[in-house]
Amino acid sequence: MVGPVQPFRAGIAYCTTRLAQELNADVISYRRQYPRRFYPGGDDIDPTLPRANAEFLLDILNPITWIRAGLRLRKYDAVIFVWWIWVWALPVRVMMAMLPRRTRVILQCHNIGDKEPAWWKRWLTNRVLRRADVLVVHARSEAAEAWKRSRGRRTVTTFLPVHELGGPIPSRDDARAMLNVTAKNVALFFGHVRPFKALDVVLRAWAELKTDVLLLVAGEVWFDGEQEYRRLAKELGLADESPLPAVRGEGGRRPGEGLRATNGSPHPPSGHLLPASGEKGLAAVRFDFRFIPDAEIATWFAACDVVLAPYRIEAQSGVALTAFHFSRPVIASTVGGLPEITDLLVPPDDPHALAKAIDDFFARDDRATLEARAAESARKYSWPEYARVFERLVSHG
């Protein structure tokens, strides 16, 4: 396998790590994952994670490492490349070009399209898709696009497994106590805050709610948008920015030697939580705009009643699949593969519909049943079953 593994952060590195474990596969990973200008977040290393069993060789800015990796890959009968972003198009094509024609090339595609699209990103991605023997995608909508853009390469559609992140799961009451939350109803917007994830739509929906619900926003903002979200929340009469010390989980382990954090430090930036309140108005939204390390994830998800994923565009959502691990229902938009994993759906870019869905959710008397369904989804989307898809492709084509 070729792709990011832990302690690189976020869902794709987690997925590569887990799949490699299930397949008992050798892994070539990255010393440097992105040029700094192409990673608008802070640091791409999570210091609370252990170092995966891999060779950390590839440097996005050093073509010699691409050639070294290509030479190492020549001995394998099959190579699984993890694909999700145009940045790696040239290095991946170099490695692919060095493989013998007998080598089966499998692309594990987290994204076919780009979250911030441009014609030249599409062109670069197409060069990679058309070299693969098989493309594995995680949504029916992605399958059609993959087949078309790869010019008819074999495309396999399967589920993306549940993301079992965060370690031991605290009770709802204990998690809320750790976050200093006293509200009765709590919703969570989690993960990298990028324009396609539609936090602006969520904030506008909050201004229309008839139910008293506290919104927790936990994640690092990309593209310098933090002040815009804070400004919008203030205009809507929602935000209280008074800081309290950030919650901290156990961990703090440094990443393995040879890995490089993009900001020169292996530690995430410090964050802030807001004062406890169950009142509507200025305390209806709490922002913690920072990267949330793995050691803290369980606290955030366990504290909420429902997770929000009203995205403008998405192939499949790691946040939603993480929510299922914590038995939390997901309200999502009708884009990409999201309708394939949840039936609590709203149109994208529709604050009124989202507000109504949230009001309806907290008015339901079967929320325990919804949580049981989420837990069942966690069992359904299992890693052993997912790994068998790749075992068949590697062994039998």
Side-chain angles (χ1 to χ4, degrees):
M1 292 189 67
V2 179
V5 293
Q6 295 173 341
F8 285 108
R9 68 194 201 184
I12 292 174
Y14 164 78
C15 288
T16 310
T17 304
R18 281 301 309 270
L19 181 57
Q21 291 170 347
E22 293 289 340
L23 297 175
N24 194 27
D26 296 339
V27 179
I28 293 178
S29 191
Y30 309 135
R31 291 171 56 193
R32 174 163 44 192
Q33 189 174 206
Y34 298 111
R36 182 65 187 91
R37 65 176 298 180
F38 294 134
Y39 191 77
D43 187 349
D44 61 355
I45 296 292
D46 182 346
T48 72
L49 292 171
R51 183 182 182 180
N53 183 20
E55 183 178 4
F56 294 92
L57 171 62
L58 291 163
D59 185 331
I60 186 64
L61 298 180
N62 186 349
I64 293 175
T65 67
W66 315 345
I67 295 170
R68 287 175 180 167
L71 291 172
R72 284 167 169 75
L73 293 173
R74 289 180 60 83
K75 67 181 180 180
Y76 295 98
D77 294 323
V79 178
I80 301 170
F81 288 94
V82 180
W83 180 256
W84 79 103
I85 191 169
W86 62 271
V87 173
W88 277 92
L90 181 57
V92 168
R93 281 298 282 119
V94 168
M95 288 182 278
M96 286 178 167
M98 296 179 68
L99 297 176
R101 293 304 301 180
R102 62 173 173 80
T103 304
R104 177 167 292 276
V105 176
I106 301 167
L107 280 182
Q108 182 202 33
C109 300
H110 290 276
N111 300 305
I112 297 297
D114 196 85
K115 298 303 196 310
E116 288 84 31
W119 69 266
W120 52 272
K121 295 179 184 179
R122 182 183 181 89
W123 185 88
L124 286 168
T125 296
N126 288 350
R127 306 282 78 72
V128 174
L129 301 181
R130 293 169 188 172
R131 173 59 180 86
D133 296 302
V134 184
L135 287 72
V136 179
V137 299
H138 304 112
R140 289 188 292 270
S141 59
E142 290 279 283
E145 185 177 2
W147 184 86
K148 180 179 179 180
R149 291 177 58 178
S150 67
R151 293 182 176 170
R153 295 290 183 176
R154 182 184 175 193
T155 302
V156 175
T157 306
T158 187
F159 61 87
L160 187 64
V162 161
H163 291 27
E164 299 163 339
L165 301 171
I169 303 174
S171 69
R172 196 183 320 250
D173 289 343
D174 286 346
R176 290 184 179 183
M178 284 187 273
L179 294 175
N180 204 24
V181 168
T182 59
K184 178 182 177 182
N185 301 317
V186 181
L188 175 65
F189 183 96
F190 187 87
H192 286 144
V193 182
R194 298 170 64 179
F196 80 88
K197 290 193 173 181
L199 177 56
D200 58 317
V201 174
V202 176
L203 294 176
R204 294 184 188 283
W206 239 251
E208 299 185 25
L209 286 184
K210 299 175 182 177
T211 310
D212 188 359
V213 184
L214 174 65
L215 172 63
L216 299 178
V217 179
E220 183 178 46
V221 181
W222 283 28
F223 307 115
D224 300 319
E226 177 176 340
Q227 295 308 315
E228 288 300 309
Y229 293 120
R230 293 191 184 277
R231 178 191 58 76
L232 176 60
K234 286 180 179 179
E235 289 178 0
L236 296 170
L238 298 173
D240 182 347
E241 300 181 33
S242 302
L244 287 176
V247 60
R248 294 293 179 205
E250 294 184 4
R253 291 183 292 272
R254 297 177 63 88
E257 290 197 17
L259 288 172
R260 178 176 176 179
T262 54
N263 68 355
S265 169
H267 299 292
S270 60
H272 299 286
L273 295 180
L274 302 180
S277 176
E279 298 300 320
K280 190 159 175 62
L282 287 181
V285 178
R286 290 189 181 186
F287 294 118
D288 195 359
F289 283 139
R290 64 186 173 94
F291 170 69
I292 306 299
D294 185 81
E296 297 180 29
I297 287 175
T299 302
W300 289 95
F301 280 87
C304 75
D305 300 299
V306 66
V307 175
L308 306 178
Y311 305 153
R312 294 183 168 98
I313 182 174
E314 185 59 289
Q316 197 50 273
S317 170
V319 170
L321 292 163
T322 303
F324 294 157
H325 174 57
F326 295 98
S327 303
R328 294 300 183 261
V330 177
I331 298 175
S333 54
T334 54
V335 300
L338 295 176
E340 299 172 29
I341 61 172
T342 181
D343 56 4
L344 300 176
L345 296 167
V346 297
D349 270 317
D350 191 334
H352 179 72
L354 180 58
K356 184 178 185 305
I358 294 166
D359 282 329
D360 290 347
F361 175 85
F362 284 102
R364 297 178 68 145
D365 58 9
D366 64 342
R367 282 159 50 188
T369 300
L370 295 179
E371 292 186 4
R373 289 179 186 169
E376 178 59 31
S377 294
R379 292 186 289 271
K380 175 182 176 183
Y381 303 128
S382 73
W383 280 100
E385 184 64 27
Y386 181 70
R388 279 192 279 273
V389 173
F390 289 89
E391 288 172 348
R392 290 191 292 268
L393 293 173
V394 168
S395 301
H396 307 296

